[in-house]
Amino acid sequence: MKEILTQSVFFGVVLTLICYWIGVWVKRKTKLAIATPLLVAVIIIVSILLLLDIDYEAYSNGAKYISFFLTPATVSLAIPLYRQLELLKRHPKAIFGGIGAGVLTAMVSIWLMSLAFGLSHEQYITLLPKSITTAIGMGVSEKMGGIVTITVVAISVTGIFGNIIAEAICRIFKITEPIAKGLAIGTASHALGTTKAMEMGEIEGAMSSLSIVVAGIMTVLSVSVFANFL
């Protein structure tokens, strides 16, 4: 059974899609913030690989084809932004200032935590792009000499965590302005956070989509500077 599964080029794709569908079903049934489809899918996939003693490479050989859709999926987030373009024209300083503050906070926090935990330069560089979308973060990490696989994990964890706590954070700090919500979520937790922003409202989703692009550009520029701090 194990050999049949691992020899199929579609094994990774099929397993990923089925587990994600299960995650969507769990989310709809429980309506719990922590039950994000991606997190549920990851837990199920890891459990199956461990239970059946399947090498990650065998799973990855098929699952890698899904990554082909990562870039076009990210680009498609520009659609809600286009629909809310008038908001961008009315509040450019506040919007870009908010995104800039978020990027700076991400950079400084990683720098301070790296100092506190005694991380090496390589580990520090690996974590710097944690708050931008995977399509950009992988390239930044690779170019700067980081560990790309760990960067992907850091980006995924950041996005999942942001998706889970976004609404709670907005309630705790009484953030009610849709533009502020979207900018904060998108800047802090990229595409995975944006899915939550879209659930919260069209304006939130549009601003979060904008944040992904702008924060990605700002991070690419900032990493080259912050890389010299450690």
Side-chain angles (χ1 to χ4, degrees):
M1 181 65 176
K2 172 184 172 182
E3 287 72 18
I4 295 176
L5 290 175
T6 55
Q7 288 175 5
S8 174
V9 70
F10 300 110
F11 166 66
V13 174
V14 173
L15 177 61
T16 301
L17 294 177
I18 290 175
C19 291
Y20 188 80
W21 178 84
I22 294 174
V24 172
W25 180 83
V26 171
K27 175 67 174 179
R28 288 175 179 171
K29 288 294 184 181
T30 63
K31 300 189 184 303
L32 296 174
I34 196 172
T36 60
L38 181 60
L39 179 59
V40 173
V42 167
I43 293 174
I44 296 175
I45 290 172
V46 171
S47 300
I48 290 175
L49 296 183
L50 291 174
L51 183 64
L52 299 180
D53 192 26
I54 297 175
D55 292 335
Y56 173 75
E57 288 74 17
Y59 162 75
S60 180
N61 286 337
K64 65 183 180 182
Y65 296 109
I66 295 179
S67 64
F68 293 159
F69 299 97
L70 183 60
T71 299
T74 303
V75 173
S76 69
L77 293 173
I79 295 175
L81 172 61
Y82 175 76
R83 292 174 179 167
Q84 300 293 333
L85 197 57
E86 197 57 39
L87 284 175
L88 176 59
K89 294 178 180 178
R90 273 186 281 167
H91 310 284
K93 293 182 180 179
I95 289 173
F96 288 102
I99 297 173
V103 171
L104 182 60
T105 299
M107 295 288 104
V108 172
S109 64
I110 289 298
W111 173 57
L112 292 176
M113 285 189 287
S114 296
L115 289 175
F117 290 100
L119 299 186
S120 66
H121 176 75
E122 182 184 38
Q123 294 168 333
Y124 168 61
I125 292 297
T126 297
L127 296 177
L128 276 179
K130 72 170 183 63
S131 292
I132 58 177
T133 186
T134 308
I136 302 174
M138 290 175 64
V140 172
S141 178
E142 183 176 11
K143 184 177 180 180
M144 299 303 296
I147 307 170
V148 178
T149 51
I150 297 180
T151 298
V152 173
V153 173
I155 292 173
S156 299
V157 170
T158 300
I160 292 172
F161 190 65
N163 184 293
I164 292 172
I165 70 170
E167 285 188 292
I169 290 294
C170 289
R171 284 197 301 268
I172 292 172
F173 292 97
K174 296 180 170 55
I175 303 173
T176 57
E177 170 57 48
I179 295 177
K181 288 181 181 179
L183 293 177
I185 295 171
T187 303
S189 50
H190 52 83
L192 293 177
T194 299
T195 60
K196 172 58 68 175
M198 288 180 171
E199 292 177 10
M200 297 167 71
E202 186 172 355
I203 294 177
E204 288 91 334
M207 293 300 102
S208 189
S209 300
L210 172 64
S211 298
I212 293 175
V213 179
V214 178
I217 296 172
M218 288 183 176
T219 300
V220 170
L221 299 175
S222 301
V223 165
S224 60
V225 175
F226 275 85
N228 300 313
F229 289 2
L230 183 64

